[in-house]
DNA sequence: CTGTATTTGTTCGTATGTATT
DNA sequence: AAATACATACGAACAAATACA
């Protein structure tokens, strides 16, 4: 499981996932304009519901760390790496 | 129905509701530090699902127009009216 | 051009948890 | 203890955009 979530943590699942993704991006695992895993992949690799995964992505989007293109995917913002 | 939503509009329901609430707040219908209707009330007066209502509130919260206190309610931000 | 698959977007209904009154 | 109110999470369905054979 690439993105494991502790369901019993006091930190909400969506924030845990957002944190793991943020870490991976700032660590350079996904470069600028590069796609991060799809919602479906993240869902499978985290055992979370789709809605919860989407909420995690929303957090990173609000931070300007990633941007989303409907039908294509979610990508790391050009200014970050 | 105080907050009516057009289910067939191309504008998502949560953005429609957010817009109506924003208008009411900027029109002064709810003053600074004053509570807006509860999620339950909004849900009943809009025929939307709770999750959709909450998403509308989230939009206004992100704008800094309102703030939320768990167990108490959602209030108009002090700087706005 | 025509499907088909992939991916994100919206919405519903429900359940449970946490905070406040 | 009970009622009210917001928070998190699940699972499901359908829509819309995109890519590709």
């Amino acid at each position: 499981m690439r993105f494991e979530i502790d369901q019993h943590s006091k930190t909400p699942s969506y924030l845990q996932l957002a944190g793991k993704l943020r870490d991976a991006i700032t660590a350079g695992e996904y470069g600028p304009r590069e796609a991060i895993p799809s919602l479906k992949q993240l869902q499978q690799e985290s055992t979370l519901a789709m809605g919860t995964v989407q909420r995690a992505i929303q957090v990173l989007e609000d931070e300007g760390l990633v941007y989303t293109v409907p039908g294509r995917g979610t990508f790391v913002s050009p200014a970050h790496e």
Side-chain angles (χ1 to χ4, degrees), chain A:
Chain A
M1 212 65 89
R2 179 72 178 73
F3 297 101
E4 203 154 355
I5 303 296
D6 174 10
Q7 309 269 163
H8 301 86
S9 166
K10 62 286 169 210
T11 303
S13 302
Y14 75 95
L15 288 180
Q16 287 182 57
L17 178 56
K20 285 177 185 295
L21 285 169
R22 189 187 304 109
D23 289 348
I25 291 170
T26 56
E29 293 184 38
Y30 305 102
R33 300 175 190 279
E34 189 178 334
I36 66 175
S38 71
L39 298 184
K40 191 177 198 174
Q41 285 175 320
L42 290 173
Q43 184 247 307
Q44 291 167 341
E45 296 192 12
S46 67
T47 325
L48 296 178
M50 284 286 293
T52 305
V53 173
Q54 226 160 354
R55 192 167 177 185
I57 299 297
Q58 186 61 56
V59 170
L60 303 181
E61 216 174 340
D62 289 348
E63 293 174 0
L65 196 59
V66 302
Y67 62 95
T68 268
V69 183
R72 290 197 45 211
T74 303
F75 308 84
V76 177
S77 295
H80 298 80
E81 65 180 38

